[in-house]
Amino acid sequence: LLITSIGQPGTNYVVIEHADGTSVATKFQSPERAFPAMSNGRLGVLLHDSALELAPVSATAELESPVLVSGFVNAFGNFHGGTFTGAQKQTLLLTNAVANTSAWAVAFHSTMALKDGVDAEDVRAIRERRLPKDATLAALSAFTRALIEKRGHVDERDVSAFTAAGFGHEQVLEVIAGLAVSVMANYAGNITNPAIEAPFEPQAWRA
């Protein structure tokens, strides 16, 4: 689903557009406060360029928490405006989704990874909790998985393996920004258990 617009200040709706083209207006007392990143009456499309790229704010039920959605919108925009390539971002987000056993997010990011040029065999490897063959993507996947598995307590070997693949030290912290996006989307998806929408059904996944 995609948050496509927000009511003018003082109105009480946010428009949710689904993959099948249907839409629904969800009411809030004050959407301009709940969604500050989408206020001022401007179109609030979360993602870039492609109709397939539906936001991983993965269930209408999640809109019951405007605090979560507002935080997600801002974190999502910051991360996707960062230094990683599209393929690298999707590798990171797919790895996180698998580690967090979030079926909706795995299907979504598998689809997006293929679209952004990640080799199908590398996508399959990540889905099977293996490292991709591409050395750069493997280093990124290994590092974000280490952050999750070690609860952030990575050691110098983890960091060195990441930077040895060509990543900068500042990108160590950018991975954490990606993890923040994943935690919000994956955990919300795990709680709300949304159906896999048609564009992502070919990449359905079970833990």
Side-chain angles (χ1 to χ4, degrees):
L1 54 88
L2 187 64
I3 302 175
T4 56
S5 63
I6 185 170
Q8 296 283 351
T11 62
N12 64 344
Y13 69 90
V14 173
V15 176
I16 310 301
E17 182 178 329
H18 294 269
D20 62 4
T22 61
S23 62
V24 61
T26 299
K27 292 184 177 181
F28 286 95
Q29 280 191 320
S30 182
E32 70 275 9
R33 293 180 62 189
F35 301 91
M38 298 168 61
S39 296
N40 304 318
R42 294 178 298 185
L43 188 68
V45 179
L46 294 182
L47 301 157
H48 60 78
D49 290 341
S50 171
L52 257 186
E53 290 197 80
L54 307 178
V57 178
S58 57
T60 302
E62 190 172 336
L63 291 173
E64 293 173 2
S65 174
V67 172
L68 176 60
V69 175
S70 179
F72 177 84
V73 168
N74 287 287
F76 183 91
N78 288 336
F79 176 66
H80 280 271
T83 64
F84 292 123
T85 67
Q88 290 167 353
K89 290 169 189 170
Q90 293 303 329
T91 294
L92 184 153
L93 295 169
L94 177 57
T95 300
N96 295 346
V98 171
N100 292 327
T101 60
S102 179
W104 191 97
V106 172
F108 177 85
H109 290 296
S110 296
T111 304
M112 294 299 101
L114 292 168
K115 177 182 175 294
D116 280 345
V118 180
D119 185 83
E121 290 299 319
D122 284 344
V123 171
R124 181 177 296 110
I126 297 169
R127 288 164 59 97
E128 295 175 354
R129 303 179 188 272
R130 297 182 288 110
L131 292 178
K133 291 182 179 179
D134 181 288
T136 301
L137 298 183
L140 177 58
S141 182
F143 185 64
T144 193
R145 189 164 68 188
L147 278 166
I148 293 171
E149 292 176 350
K150 298 181 179 182
R151 304 295 190 267
H153 294 282
V154 292
D155 56 33
E156 186 56 38
R157 289 175 298 177
D158 296 314
V159 175
S160 294
F162 178 68
T163 56
F167 293 107
H169 285 280
E170 72 282 0
Q171 289 177 302
V172 170
L173 300 180
E174 194 169 334
V175 172
I176 297 173
L179 276 170
V181 171
S182 291
V183 165
M184 285 186 276
N186 296 173
Y187 287 15
N190 289 347
I191 290 171
T192 59
N193 194 29
I196 304 297
E197 295 179 285
F200 316 124
E201 286 178 354
Q203 298 300 327
W205 177 86
R206 289 186 178 181

